[in-house]
Amino acid sequence: MKIVDGVNLHLIKTEKFKTNHLTFRFTGERLKKTVAKRVLVAQMLATANADFPSSQKLRKTLARLYGTSLSTRVSTKGKAHILDIDLEFISPSYLEKTDFQHEIFDLLYTILYKPLITLEQFQSKVFDVEKANLISYLEADKEDSFYLSELGLYDLFYHDDNLKVSKYARVDLVEQENSFTAYQEFQRMLKEDQIDIFLLGDFEASSVLEEINRFPFQARKLYRFVNFTQDRLNITQEKIDRQDDHQSILQLGYHLPLTYSHPDYPIALVLNGLLGGFAHSRLFTQVREKEGLAYSISSQVHPYTVLLQVYAGIDKRQREKTLRMINQEWHNLKAGRYSSHLLQQTKQLLLNDYYLAQDSPKILIERAYNQKYLAKNDENLPKWPDRIAAVNKADIMQLARKIHLQALYYLEGGK
């Protein structure tokens, strides 16, 4: 439901849950120069505002609202950087209080339009604490070998520098920001970012629309560049770094010639499940269980970019043998050398995950967003289970032959 250009309300009626879920989403371009600002904005919005100028006062208010929970989170979808404000609250149908929903939307209004500021910048005392917290979080991530190696792979794989940066930014980028620059970014987001408001649960649509119409939204453009594609290169980028750790991390980035909205995306999910996405997959059973070459090994499709990632924690003496085994499993996929039972098992697990997700409000909201903006021309989307069930060996073989290694990043342990 369009409120104004670039601002949409999505109402998902269900009586399955005892709580309602309200998500206010900003979608903007994923840029190296703004990502730190946006993360700092997310932290400030969840911490305090002009009506509740400390986290303690805000939490007391949430407790008074029957234990309503407030959180913010940042995520990425290809070229989009997303900031969500999430409110989970008891369904008003369980209460005799008639103005409860109004109080929830009042709180959202306060978060957005009464931020904790002093002279056109976030209040410095609270902001400086949140900035220090973010820096500490990012510094701690440097101790995570898998996280470091993943960023190393992104740096090699992506041609666009903006996709090489974590959704949480980097320490040096955060250090450059201050209470003024972060607040100015927040004001720009309110005016220019695509905005989506999702309400999932039991409610009266007319009363929700009445609440939303109180918000002073201005027209803006929809963000149309979520899915990111890049050309395949004829060479493989390689890099080796070293750190003082027992385990070495091997990261492989493959060019997958499709993204979420492509008709063959279900084939990519089945292929990934066969390769390394599940505990019964070829990489897990052959490389880890049978040969004992990896402490851990898996693969992952990045739905909104053209990356299929394989990662393994290994002993540094096993690097070449592990690579040979991974390459062999790719050859098996291309040649259809795996059992029909393995294919059926993979499809069944994907279908199980799909149906289990019906019990997750966050995933249902995510599906609504994707269907609206990423697959709105795909008439078969409601038949997604049928499309998974229809995938066969020929489909897998055909797609596997179009997938090519583009980047190899190796973080070698020194012990």
Side-chain angles (χ1 to χ4, degrees):
M1 182 186 305
K2 184 170 82 171
I3 306 302
V4 297
D5 288 344
V7 179
N8 284 287
L9 174 64
H10 312 262
L11 300 177
I12 308 170
K13 289 274 287 184
T14 177
E15 297 180 8
K16 183 183 291 187
F17 309 105
K18 292 183 178 179
T19 54
N20 284 5
H21 298 258
L22 175 62
T23 293
F24 187 98
R25 172 168 292 183
F26 293 97
T27 301
E29 188 172 4
R30 182 178 177 180
L31 295 172
K32 179 181 175 182
K33 66 181 181 181
T34 60
V35 62
K37 298 181 182 75
R38 295 171 71 93
V39 179
L40 289 164
V41 167
Q43 294 196 204
M44 287 298 295
L45 297 184
T47 300
N49 52 60
D51 285 356
F52 312 109
S54 69
S55 60
Q56 292 87 350
K57 289 182 178 179
L58 182 55
R59 298 304 148 190
K60 282 183 180 178
T61 297
L62 293 170
R64 180 180 61 78
L65 293 172
Y66 301 94
T68 294
S69 68
L70 163 67
S71 62
T72 56
R73 57 193 172 117
V74 294
S75 60
T76 57
K77 288 180 184 284
K79 278 286 287 180
H81 192 268
I82 292 168
L83 191 163
D84 285 346
I85 303 169
D86 291 318
L87 285 160
E88 182 180 349
F89 54 96
I90 189 168
S91 173
S93 61
Y94 289 97
L95 302 173
E96 295 181 1
K97 199 173 184 182
T98 57
D99 63 346
F100 180 61
Q101 180 175 269
H102 179 73
E103 290 185 76
I104 295 295
F105 278 95
D106 260 356
L107 176 59
L108 177 61
Y109 189 99
T110 297
I111 292 167
L112 293 170
Y113 297 107
K114 298 180 183 178
L116 186 62
I117 60 171
T118 306
L119 299 176
E120 294 303 305
Q121 63 186 38
F122 284 121
Q123 200 239 54
S124 296
K125 184 177 179 181
V126 175
F127 178 86
D128 289 345
V129 170
E130 292 305 315
K131 179 177 175 179
N133 288 341
L134 178 56
I135 289 172
S136 295
Y137 173 83
L138 292 170
E139 291 284 6
D141 274 342
K142 293 180 180 179
E143 305 301 316
D144 186 332
S145 298
F146 269 99
Y147 179 75
L148 276 182
S149 65
E150 192 164 69
L151 291 180
L153 176 68
Y154 296 165
D155 188 59
L156 286 180
F157 181 85
Y158 290 120
H159 305 167
D160 186 329
D161 285 345
N162 297 301
L163 273 74
K164 299 180 180 186
V165 180
S166 161
K167 62 186 175 185
Y168 300 115
R170 293 194 313 249
V171 170
D172 62 308
L173 297 176
V174 176
E175 286 175 338
Q176 294 171 20
E177 305 303 339
N178 56 50
S179 58
F180 176 78
T181 60
Y183 179 69
Q184 295 307 309
E185 176 64 16
F186 175 48
Q187 292 306 297
R188 189 202 61 74
M189 291 164 62
L190 279 171
K191 293 184 179 74
E192 298 178 15
D193 266 24
Q194 175 181 309
I195 289 175
D196 293 276
I197 307 114
F198 300 87
L199 182 60
L200 181 147
D202 188 13
F203 51 81
E204 290 293 333
S206 58
S207 65
V208 175
L209 188 58
E210 187 177 322
E211 295 289 350
I212 291 298
N213 283 333
R214 295 192 293 121
F215 288 59
F217 295 125
Q218 301 172 9
R220 75 280 314 281
K221 294 180 180 178
L222 289 176
Y223 187 74
R224 300 187 181 279
F225 307 102
V226 174
N227 284 325
F228 172 80
T229 60
Q230 64 184 28
D231 293 334
R232 176 171 70 89
L233 300 177
N234 292 323
I235 59 172
T236 299
Q237 305 286 336
E238 296 189 28
K239 186 178 181 182
I240 298 175
D241 284 328
R242 292 175 175 83
Q243 72 166 13
D244 190 22
D245 199 352
H246 289 285
Q247 187 175 193
S248 297
I249 311 295
L250 179 63
Q251 293 272 7
L252 302 172
Y254 297 84
H255 185 275
L256 177 69
L258 55 87
T259 54
Y260 176 87
S261 55
H262 194 281
D264 289 342
Y265 179 68
I267 300 173
L269 291 182
V270 178
L271 181 151
N272 178 67
L274 287 166
L275 179 66
F278 293 113
H280 73 277
S281 65
R282 295 288 301 182
L283 291 180
F284 193 90
T285 57
Q286 299 301 307
V287 181
R288 184 182 185 275
E289 297 294 305
K290 185 177 178 181
E291 297 294 331
L293 295 176
Y295 303 113
S296 58
I297 190 165
S298 189
S299 66
Q300 175 187 356
V301 168
H302 291 244
Y304 314 104
T305 73
V306 288
L307 172 61
L308 190 154
Q309 176 184 1
V310 173
Y311 44 97
I314 60 175
D315 186 292
K316 64 181 180 180
R317 293 166 294 186
Q318 303 291 358
R319 178 191 166 194
E320 295 305 320
K321 188 174 181 181
T322 303
L323 272 171
R324 286 196 301 272
M325 288 286 296
I326 292 171
N327 287 335
Q328 181 59 52
E329 292 309 325
W330 273 110
H331 287 307
N332 290 339
L333 284 179
K334 292 173 185 178
R337 287 197 292 266
Y338 53 86
S339 70
S340 297
H341 172 72
L342 188 68
L343 176 58
Q344 288 304 121
Q345 189 179 7
T346 301
K347 293 195 290 186
Q348 189 58 55
L349 285 172
L350 285 168
L351 291 172
N352 290 348
D353 288 348
Y354 175 81
Y355 291 121
L356 284 172
Q358 304 279 46
D359 293 326
S360 169
K362 281 185 170 58
I363 293 178
L364 292 175
I365 287 171
E366 218 57 55
R367 285 180 181 171
Y369 179 93
N370 286 352
Q371 187 165 1
K372 171 71 175 178
Y373 297 113
L374 302 182
K376 57 185 176 181
N377 296 323
D378 182 359
E379 296 177 356
N380 292 321
L381 188 69
K383 300 177 181 177
W384 191 88
D386 295 334
R387 295 166 65 191
I388 288 290
V391 174
N392 57 43
K393 276 195 177 186
D395 296 328
I396 300 293
M397 292 164 65
Q398 186 176 21
L399 180 57
R401 290 166 184 164
K402 298 177 183 177
I403 297 171
H404 300 275
L405 182 64
Q406 295 283 271
L408 187 159
Y409 180 82
Y410 184 55
L411 185 60
E412 183 176 276
K415 295 181 181 178

